[in-house]
Amino acid sequence: QVQLVESGGGLVPAGGSLRLSCAASGTILSINAMGWYHQAPGKQRELVAAITSGGSTNYADSVKGRFTISRDNAKNTVYLQMNSLKPEDTAVYYCNAEVQEPGGTWFNDYWGQGTQVTVSS
């Protein structure tokens, strides 16, 4: 079994910063892409940022220049540094990882439990 555990959410004023962390644990052979998604009330879950095992990154247009995704492959951990936060960034943030388990021939998607980020105006 694989678990993703997120941390770092909270309440911040507009213009503030937060750093989210997500650590993957369990029976892991390798991890391909890791990413962060967010879901606001009444809206669909959307990609915020993703990073491959080689370090290539992809960002939603709404966060480019403000958010930075990074990962520590040795720790199976992905981070999201969020700067210049806006009230519209308020959402539950979910971590995602494509994980290959021992004996498996493909990668399975795993999700964290979500962490609330609230930005006050």
Side-chain angles (χ1 to χ4, degrees):
Q1 287 294 332
V2 175
Q3 288 187 321
L4 301 183
V5 178
E6 299 134 335
S7 60
L11 172 64
V12 294
S17 298
L18 281 175
R19 188 186 192 220
L20 306 183
S21 299
C22 172
S25 63
T27 53
I28 297 170
L29 182 62
S30 65
I31 300 178
N32 191 16
M34 302 184 80
W36 291 94
Y37 291 70
H38 69 193
Q39 187 168 19
K43 295 189 176 181
Q44 290 188 331
R45 192 174 298 188
E46 298 177 331
L47 175 69
V48 176
I51 184 168
T52 67
S53 57
S56 296
T57 58
N58 181 40
Y59 294 93
D61 288 342
S62 60
V63 307
K64 285 179 180 176
R66 300 189 298 122
F67 292 9
T68 302
I69 189 169
S70 61
R71 65 190 281 176
D72 184 334
N73 290 332
K75 296 181 179 180
N76 291 332
T77 299
V78 63
Y79 307 95
L80 185 68
Q81 178 66 45
M82 304 186 293
N83 299 328
S84 303
L85 281 160
K86 304 175 180 180
E88 50 263 43
D89 294 320
T90 296
V92 177
Y93 283 71
Y94 296 92
C95 172
N96 171 266
E98 299 173 349
V99 179
Q100 184 181 25
E101 297 169 72
T105 56
W106 54 78
F107 290 85
N108 295 316
D109 257 351
Y110 286 92
W111 292 89
Q113 79 285 356
T115 185
Q116 178 70 45
V117 170
T118 303
V119 184
S120 61
S121 56

